[in-house]
Amino acid sequence: MHVIGTAGHVDHGKSMLVKALTGIDPDRLKEEKERQMTIDLGFAWLTLPSGEQVGIVDVPGHKDFIENMLAGVGGIDAALFVVAADEGVMPQTREHLAILDLLGVKSGLVALTKVDLVDDPEWLELVEAEVEELLEGTTLADAPIIPVSAKTGQGLPELVAELDALLQRTPPRRDLGRPRLSIDRVFSITGFGTVVTGTLVDGAFELGQEVEILPQGIKARIRGLQTHKRHIERAMPGSRVAINLAGVSKNELRRGDVVTTPGWLKPTQLVDVRLRCLADAPRPLRHNATLKFFSGSAEVVARARLLDSEVIPPGEEGWVQLRLAKPVALIKGDRFIVRQPSPPLTIGGGVVVDPHPRRHRRFHPEVIERLEALAYGTPQEVLLQFLQIEEPCQARELIERSGLTDEVATEALEGLLAQGRVLALDGGGQYLVSQRGWEALLERLTSILGDYHRRNPLHRGMPRGELREYLRRRIRGLSSKLFNEIMARAAREGKLVEEGAIVRLPEHRVRFTPDQQRRVDQLLAAFEREPYSPPSVAEAQAMVGPEVLNALIEEGRLVKVSEDVIFLTETYEEMVEQVIARLRREGRITVAQVRDMFATSRKYALALMEHLDERKVTERVGDERVLR
């Protein structure tokens, strides 16, 4: 399915031609009929000789309504470029052509209207020659020029036949499986509720499907679908669609919002673009200029940061980062137009290269190289650049950000994985990281752990949770699953060691100073002399200090069973073994019996048994313990 759009100067007969072709008057507003002038977008449709039904978007030609025109031409496949034979090329003829050229509309034909008002064949030839000259060097160069009269019907069959042939040569819209509809009309119908219209791109919509309206993030459901006033169950990319939405009111929506499937498309207020300044722009585009930005049917004020120059002269191109006043839902490859606010005038346009960049330093070679790779690189280069912007990331998210078709992106990704330029953290390919990004991440991990070891030389390692919090500040959206996969791969590569809830560098060992080691030997000797009534925690800390005592506990040389009781590990294991053996023989045991078994005091016996209760080895029943 295809959509065509009219373009041309005011009063050159665009709406009259659409009505003559379709039988539908696209001027729907009362003011339009009173003033006999198109003010806002109009819509019609036509069945071609081949049987294809095409949608027609009729746009206003008056200079005061250019911005309404921009809301309609963003989604068209071909242009019906209208020039009145009695007037020839006029100011908005040139501006509309420039807009079509900037939007990359490559298919089109010229309708030379009102030929019934021209009696002089030489004048008609002059106008045709003027139009041909105007089209040179644009995307519509060599477009057929067909003289027509909406009033008499002259040339209309030839126009329809040429349009049919043109659309047969125009490739269908791509289906990425990620539908987007930029809303150009919002209204409500009694008994049905909210209805929006627009041209559907990049995927299909189905009846009953859940959708999301951006940038607001409103969830809704498709209650009904129509194309050309015909009810359908599935709307295909490239078609004009009316969607009846359930769960959202008319007042919540506006022109420029985007209807899509939930969860994948993120609105943005910062966007990197390749911008071309029109050759007839009145002045160069300067750094920090305020502009009006148009893409799809959205319109928003923007400030232009020029990244590789102080100005972009008329007819030249440059890399620009646009700061948008409001969020807009954009993807890589979207076309846009920019206008100066006062006096209102189209000055340029181009293509979105990165819809979610960071703020860049100006005149930085690495920034320009990355943008050139995104704009002109191979699919592998595009994927790699997007991955390096924010990594690690999920494979599906990377493919969606790239603007590539699933087939092309999957093939490119498989190549990068095979070459080792991209790594799958878990081996299965869910989370991806570039080779360079992985090396940087490992360097960050080892630096964090190294700093921790230097600050805490007597700690066996860094608590896993603390390391995760450090990484969370540096990796946006760090989930538990992603953190676990980073840790697992780093451990497999021997870059770190995980020991339960502790993480350390492989070379890290707790090492005591000679003085500390002397005091440790004295403490352990005291534990060996009185294994069942050893020094308390407070006494042990007094002998070696809190940090050294904690190091001995972390190393597993001592076991802390309560806030005040610790045992040598060998003694603790022996006591536990004997208690369990007695319970298996006799079934029950008291604290007093434990005290007598080891000729110790109640303090140590009670601490041991409460510790075994906490470990769920034993269970208290009255004054006795039994095995769980």
Side-chain angles (χ1 to χ4, degrees):
M1 302 183 74
H2 294 98
V3 175
I4 61 175
T6 63
H9 194 74
V10 63
D11 202 33
H12 275 207
K14 296 184 294 299
S15 300
M16 185 176 291
L17 178 61
V18 170
K19 186 175 181 180
L21 290 171
T22 66
I24 300 168
D25 185 357
D27 287 342
R28 54 190 169 80
L29 302 178
K30 180 181 178 183
E31 186 180 358
E32 290 177 319
K33 297 184 183 300
E34 290 174 352
R35 296 175 63 177
Q36 295 187 335
M37 179 175 67
T38 302
I39 295 172
D40 203 354
L41 302 177
F43 307 98
W45 59 92
L46 171 68
T47 301
L48 297 172
S50 63
E52 179 183 0
Q53 269 203 340
V54 297
I56 300 177
V57 180
D58 184 41
V59 303
H62 195 282
K63 66 178 181 178
D64 292 345
F65 307 114
I66 287 286
E67 293 174 2
N68 286 344
M69 175 266 188
L70 288 168
V73 295
I76 66 173
D77 300 293
L80 183 57
F81 193 58
V82 174
V83 181
D86 61 333
E87 288 191 350
V89 173
M90 299 294 284
Q92 267 57 65
T93 310
R94 298 180 184 277
E95 188 168 8
H96 280 211
L97 178 61
I99 288 168
L100 295 172
D101 190 47
L102 289 167
L103 293 175
V105 179
K106 295 182 173 63
S107 297
L109 51 81
V110 179
L112 203 59
T113 56
K114 302 187 180 182
V115 293
D116 56 294
L117 301 180
V118 178
D119 296 326
D120 185 352
E122 289 186 4
W123 172 258
L124 200 59
E125 290 177 9
L126 285 172
V127 174
E128 286 191 32
E130 184 184 26
V131 172
E132 288 176 353
E133 183 180 355
L134 177 67
L135 298 179
E136 284 181 11
T138 73
T139 54
L140 295 186
D142 303 320
I145 301 174
I146 302 172
V148 297
S149 169
K151 185 176 182 180
T152 67
Q154 178 185 341
L156 294 186
E158 292 83 356
L159 180 67
V160 170
E162 189 63 50
L163 183 60
D164 199 0
L166 175 71
L167 293 179
Q168 294 300 312
R169 300 190 299 269
T170 302
R173 290 280 183 151
R174 62 183 186 174
D175 188 347
L176 299 179
R178 301 188 286 272
R180 294 185 295 152
L181 182 138
S182 190
I183 297 173
D184 51 37
R185 280 186 72 202
V186 184
F187 53 96
S188 59
I189 298 177
T190 303
F192 292 91
T194 303
V195 178
V196 299
T197 69
T199 300
L200 182 59
V201 298
D202 292 350
F205 276 139
E206 294 183 351
L207 204 61
Q209 186 173 6
E210 184 187 18
V211 293
E212 183 177 22
I213 297 97
L214 300 172
Q216 303 95 313
I218 300 170
K219 299 291 176 60
R221 183 178 56 81
I222 297 178
R223 177 187 287 162
L225 287 170
Q226 280 192 15
T227 184
H228 309 149
K229 292 196 175 181
R230 179 170 53 89
H231 290 281
I232 54 175
E233 293 195 359
R234 182 178 174 86
M236 301 303 295
S239 58
R240 285 289 307 171
V241 181
I243 306 177
N244 181 201
L245 293 171
V248 60
S249 73
K250 171 189 170 184
N251 295 334
E252 293 178 274
L253 308 180
R254 63 180 182 274
R255 176 178 284 180
D257 292 346
V258 172
V259 185
T260 186
T261 49
W264 73 274
L265 183 56
K266 299 175 183 176
T268 182
Q269 285 186 259
L270 196 66
V271 57
D272 288 345
V273 302
R274 184 66 174 171
L275 190 149
R276 172 160 63 94
C277 202
L278 290 175
D280 59 357
R283 62 182 67 89
L285 176 62
R286 299 190 179 280
H287 177 63
N288 273 338
T290 298
L291 303 169
K292 279 190 172 182
F293 173 89
F294 300 84
S295 186
S297 56
E299 171 188 343
V300 63
V301 173
R303 185 172 293 276
R305 295 185 66 246
L306 275 54
L307 300 177
D308 58 351
S309 62
E310 290 296 343
V311 298
I312 302 178
E316 300 293 328
E317 298 185 14
W319 295 109
V320 180
Q321 187 167 77
L322 296 172
R323 168 70 68 178
L324 308 179
K326 297 178 182 177
V328 179
L330 298 167
I331 69 167
K332 180 181 180 293
D334 280 350
R335 294 274 178 167
F336 68 91
I337 298 295
V338 289
R339 307 189 85 220
Q340 66 180 27
S342 182
L345 186 67
T346 302
I347 60 170
V351 62
V352 171
V353 175
D354 184 358
H356 296 282
R358 296 185 178 93
R359 181 179 169 87
H360 301 310
R361 289 168 53 192
R362 299 181 66 211
F363 305 108
H364 197 278
E366 286 188 5
V367 170
I368 304 307
E369 287 173 13
R370 187 184 69 79
L371 290 172
E372 288 177 348
L374 286 175
Y376 311 122
T378 64
Q380 284 192 0
E381 290 169 335
V382 170
L383 282 178
L384 196 57
Q385 289 296 329
F386 270 112
L387 180 58
Q388 289 172 348
I389 292 168
E390 188 176 314
E391 55 183 334
C393 79
Q394 294 189 9
R396 170 48 50 187
E397 182 182 351
L398 176 62
I399 290 172
E400 288 170 351
R401 287 194 331 220
S402 72
L404 302 169
T405 64
D406 283 2
E407 184 179 357
V408 170
T410 301
E411 182 180 350
L413 183 55
E414 288 172 354
L416 289 168
L417 289 165
Q419 298 159 23
R421 298 167 70 191
V422 169
L423 308 174
L425 289 179
D426 63 349
Q430 181 176 2
Y431 284 103
L432 305 174
V433 62
S434 69
Q435 177 62 44
R436 189 177 76 179
W438 177 241
E439 290 170 358
L441 183 53
L442 286 178
E443 185 177 338
R444 186 178 298 161
L445 275 173
T446 55
S447 174
I448 292 170
L449 289 172
D451 287 345
Y452 185 88
H453 294 329
R454 282 188 290 275
R455 287 185 282 106
N456 305 279
L458 298 181
H459 288 199
R460 183 163 54 97
M462 187 177 190
R464 209 169 182 273
E466 188 175 336
L467 177 58
R468 181 183 172 187
E469 286 307 309
Y470 267 88
L471 284 185
R472 193 195 297 275
R473 299 170 203 161
R474 294 162 175 81
I475 300 176
R476 189 164 61 184
L478 180 68
S479 64
S480 296
K481 179 176 175 56
L482 175 55
F483 176 72
N484 291 339
E485 291 186 10
I486 291 171
M487 292 293 99
R489 186 176 185 99
R492 287 198 304 272
E493 294 185 7
K495 303 300 183 182
L496 54 81
V497 177
E498 292 190 274
E499 296 173 339
I502 296 297
V503 184
R504 63 174 174 86
L505 294 176
E507 64 273 15
H508 175 69
R509 297 289 185 276
V510 174
R511 292 179 176 85
F512 299 126
T513 66
D515 181 60
Q516 288 170 335
Q517 186 62 55
R518 179 182 57 79
R519 285 183 281 156
V520 165
D521 293 340
Q522 291 174 351
L523 176 65
L524 296 180
F527 272 84
E528 290 171 355
R529 284 193 300 272
E530 296 287 342
Y532 307 122
S533 302
S536 67
V537 170
E539 290 169 337
Q541 287 179 344
M543 293 179 68
V544 298
E547 287 193 345
V548 172
L549 183 61
N550 286 337
L552 292 171
I553 294 170
E554 281 190 354
E555 281 188 328
R557 298 168 75 178
L558 298 174
V559 176
K560 186 176 181 181
V561 298
S562 75
E563 288 302 310
D564 193 43
V565 175
I566 47 180
F567 293 107
L568 276 174
T569 300
E570 306 89 81
T571 303
Y572 168 79
E573 290 173 350
E574 175 204 341
M575 295 172 79
V576 171
E577 185 178 343
Q578 289 193 40
V579 167
I580 291 175
R582 181 160 177 170
L583 281 168
R584 283 176 177 157
R585 286 195 312 271
E586 301 179 8
R588 296 173 180 273
I589 197 169
T590 65
V591 171
Q593 289 171 324
V594 173
R595 177 197 64 197
D596 295 342
M597 281 176 63
F598 300 108
T600 185
S601 69
R602 177 177 173 80
K603 179 181 83 168
Y604 292 102
L606 179 61
L608 176 65
M609 295 314 296
E610 287 180 345
H611 175 71
L612 293 180
D613 291 344
E614 289 176 7
R615 284 183 53 197
K616 301 190 185 303
V617 173
T618 58
E619 182 178 6
R620 183 174 178 177
V621 178
D623 291 333
E624 298 176 315
R625 260 76 175 183
V626 296
L627 282 175
R628 277 186 180 270

